[in-house]
Amino acid sequence: MKTVNILVLGGGGREHAIIKALKKNDRVERIYCVPGNDGMDGGIPFPIDINNFPLLARFARTEHVGYIVVSPDNQLADGAVDFFEEAGFPCFGPNKAAARLESSKIFAKEFMKRHHIPTARYEAFETLEKAKAYVEKEAAAGHLPLVIKADGLALGKGVVIAETLEEAEETLTRFMQEDAFGTSGHRVVIEEFMEGPEVTVLTLTDGKTIVPLLSSMDHKRALDGDKGPNTGGMGVIAPNPYYTPEVAELCRKTIFVPTVQGMRDEGTPFKGCLYFGLMLTQDGPKVVEYNCRFGDPEAQAILPLLKSDLYTLFRAVTEETLTPEMVEFSSDSSCCVILASEGYPKSYEKNVEIKLPHHLRDKIYCAGVRKKGSTYYTNGGRVVSVVETAPTLEEAIAKAYETADQVTFRTKYFRKDIGQKALKALERK
Ligand code: AMP
Ligand code: GLY
């Protein structure tokens, strides 16, 4: 049997979950992860420069790597897949042109308009003056709150829901003049505020066929009760109870298929994991955002429920042979709770000792973790993801919190209400 070495780019809990799933395939020999983190089991972390593509290609050649997975948005936006394919490596992930669905909110909004894909009404601006004039007009017409989004990548933090005109103006100044996100915020999208339950659907697509994976519910705000600032994600449950078979069919017809078809028709087929952030409004499901990669922590929540072999699916995406029958999930539920450093997403302390009980390693995905000697220390905002699966959502949540209690570090902070909204929705069913 021919074996393969894989290089995964990225270094968080999402990459840890991808590595664990890829490792289940007997053909997969070694998995290198750049930069990786010291808590990853299954992968070999290699802290070299993730943005130096020529260096990475040389490394891949030396280590006989036969497949490259580009996981994070930044490197996809910078054309990592284009570069490695040109260098002769088969890859998982969209090329630079397709990654614009995430790397430019303006591109994504204009694309949706061209293809009649339902999304929030919006205007795009390149000057502070015009943007301010627009929010004044909207506020005077009673259209508040307004949603202000930086055009480019901003670590999931470039979205502000402005409740008042003052807040909208202050946000625009911060994004467009004070460089809160560097050049990412120089152009902005201003959207109408939508209401309804949110659903994330990760899908795999080879550019022609799109196959939804499991639906999930992220918890993006830092504090219980969906309060506090937006983060990269504080916890996830899957599947999402709001995503009924009827909603799924509607999303397939009005959103998923038109997106893949539209990208293909424009000569920029999307190959990889396409992430749909959806809102189920009274007028039907609408797109909140596209991401061009697995979600973090959505990947940690759904990959443990995947029954099919992930490496086989990735190769089918690369080779354009994907079919819906290839994807099978367990009927269980899962709950992922992020253990973060107190203060995240703002400032927080690092280098705090972590106790990671060895018998729980299968339930834990490491992100901001480093090792000195045989001791683990915190090294980031989101430190570890704890994931448990069970036949019911209620059991999965209870198990995840029991496990979360057993991982300890002085600055540990986590939300206590992951999944509660979903449980209430299930009660109402
Ligand atoms: P995004 O990064 O575009 O997903 O936005 C982050 C979060 O802001 C989303 O998960 C929503 O909760 C919220 N959001 C974004 N756009 C809108 C909108 N047009 N209306 C209401 N909430 C929104
Ligand atoms: N959890 C949200 C994201 O990965 O963008």
Side-chain angles (χ1 to χ4, degrees):
M1 190 173 61
K2 211 163 148 258
T3 59
V4 63
N5 293 336
I6 301 178
L7 170 62
V8 174
L9 298 196
R14 167 182 60 197
E15 287 74 24
H16 194 178
I18 289 172
I19 287 170
K20 273 194 186 171
L22 290 173
K23 258 270 140 119
K24 289 186 187 158
N25 185 307
D26 291 339
R27 282 180 56 203
V28 174
E29 181 94 16
R30 264 168 296 152
I31 305 183
Y32 298 98
C33 190
V34 172
N37 72 69
D38 293 343
M40 278 177 169
D41 50 337
I44 308 167
F46 242 86
I48 56 177
D49 182 2
I50 188 174
N51 294 308
N52 188 339
F53 301 157
L55 173 74
L56 292 169
R58 276 202 304 280
F59 170 80
R61 240 173 245 119
T62 313
E63 298 301 330
H64 305 289
V65 164
Y67 193 67
I68 301 183
V69 178
V70 183
S71 175
D73 44 4
N74 278 312
Q75 286 69 36
L76 289 165
D78 287 344
V81 167
D82 311 59
F83 184 91
F84 296 128
E85 280 184 348
E86 181 78 9
F89 294 97
C91 292
F92 181 82
N95 62 18
K96 184 172 180 163
R100 281 179 302 168
L101 279 182
E102 174 168 6
S103 64
S104 169
K105 298 235 189 241
I106 297 178
F107 172 81
K109 296 297 283 192
E110 287 173 350
F111 170 83
M112 285 186 267
K113 201 184 244 177
R114 285 197 291 280
H115 297 280
H116 311 287
I117 295 166
T119 185
R121 190 171 56 81
Y122 78 101
E123 293 283 338
F125 296 94
E126 301 195 6
T127 69
L128 182 59
E129 217 179 9
K130 286 192 178 144
K132 279 194 171 168
Y134 177 75
V135 292
E136 267 171 39
K137 191 175 78 175
E138 288 289 295
H143 297 157
L144 283 170
L146 285 168
V147 184
I148 300 177
K149 302 187 174 185
D151 175 52
L153 299 176
L155 295 170
K157 294 163 199 159
V159 174
V160 170
I161 297 173
E163 306 279 347
T164 63
L165 174 60
E166 291 68 36
E167 200 185 338
E169 289 184 327
E170 180 267 325
T171 302
L172 289 171
T173 306
R174 225 161 31 82
F175 281 17
M176 303 183 86
Q177 196 173 314
E178 292 168 2
D179 290 354
F181 303 109
T183 53
S184 280
H186 287 178
R187 304 199 300 162
V188 296
V189 167
I190 304 179
E191 280 186 6
E192 74 173 313
F193 178 72
M194 301 188 288
E195 283 178 279
E198 283 188 63
V199 180
T200 302
V201 183
L202 302 182
T203 66
L204 290 178
T205 169
D206 61 1
K208 300 177 294 196
T209 304
I210 181 160
V211 185
L213 303 177
L214 205 59
S215 66
S216 61
M217 185 191 286
D218 193 7
H219 297 68
K220 286 205 171 83
R221 308 287 284 268
L223 309 176
D224 283 357
D226 291 331
K227 303 243 163 38
N230 261 325
T231 68
M234 294 300 292
V236 167
I237 60 91
N240 185 321
Y242 289 105
Y243 195 69
T244 60
E246 296 73 41
V247 173
E249 178 52 21
L250 206 54
C251 291
R252 194 188 66 79
K253 266 205 324 244
T254 64
I255 297 174
F256 303 160
V257 171
T259 300
V260 166
Q261 190 63 42
M263 289 300 277
R264 204 174 151 73
D265 290 348
E266 294 193 7
T268 52
F270 187 103
K271 289 170 68 174
C273 174
L274 183 50
Y275 169 129
F276 293 85
L278 305 170
M279 199 171 278
L280 309 182
T281 73
Q282 289 202 322
D283 304 327
K286 293 189 182 181
V287 177
V288 177
E289 65 165 343
Y290 291 120
N291 290 327
C292 64
R293 41 146 185 106
F294 280 89
D296 187 341
E298 287 89 341
Q300 294 90 305
I302 72 162
L303 290 177
L305 294 174
L306 179 67
K307 283 175 136 177
S308 331
D309 174 60
L310 189 65
Y311 180 59
T312 306
L313 293 176
F314 276 12
R315 292 303 299 225
V317 167
T318 307
E319 285 148 25
E320 301 178 20
T321 52
L322 186 69
T323 60
E325 298 72 39
M326 295 171 87
V327 178
E328 199 190 341
F329 275 89
S330 138
S331 60
D332 283 359
S333 292
S334 85
C335 175
C336 164
V337 178
I338 297 290
L339 308 184
S341 299
E342 199 173 356
Y344 172 78
K346 299 192 171 132
S347 59
Y348 49 82
E349 195 181 331
K350 287 189 193 175
N351 282 316
V352 178
E353 185 177 336
I354 315 172
K355 292 252 173 344
L356 278 179
H358 193 73
H359 70 283
L360 297 176
R361 287 313 302 261
D362 275 358
K363 324 282 185 184
I364 286 171
Y365 301 90
C366 293
V369 172
R370 70 192 196 119
K371 202 172 179 182
K372 277 183 266 174
S374 57
T375 310
Y376 291 105
Y377 294 87
T378 64
N379 190 34
R382 293 193 289 181
V383 179
V384 301
S385 318
V386 169
V387 182
E388 289 282 0
T389 63
T392 68
L393 178 60
E394 201 168 6
E395 289 167 83
I397 295 170
K399 278 171 71 182
Y401 277 103
E402 267 171 39
T403 304
D405 282 339
Q406 294 178 62
V407 177
T408 54
F409 50 100
R410 181 172 48 76
T411 47
K412 180 170 92 170
Y413 166 76
F414 57 103
R415 274 182 65 164
K416 309 290 185 298
D417 65 343
I418 302 302
Q420 291 307 317
K421 217 175 3 177
L423 281 182
K424 291 214 176 76
L426 281 173
E427 275 165 24
R428 282 197 295 272
K429 263 191 181 177

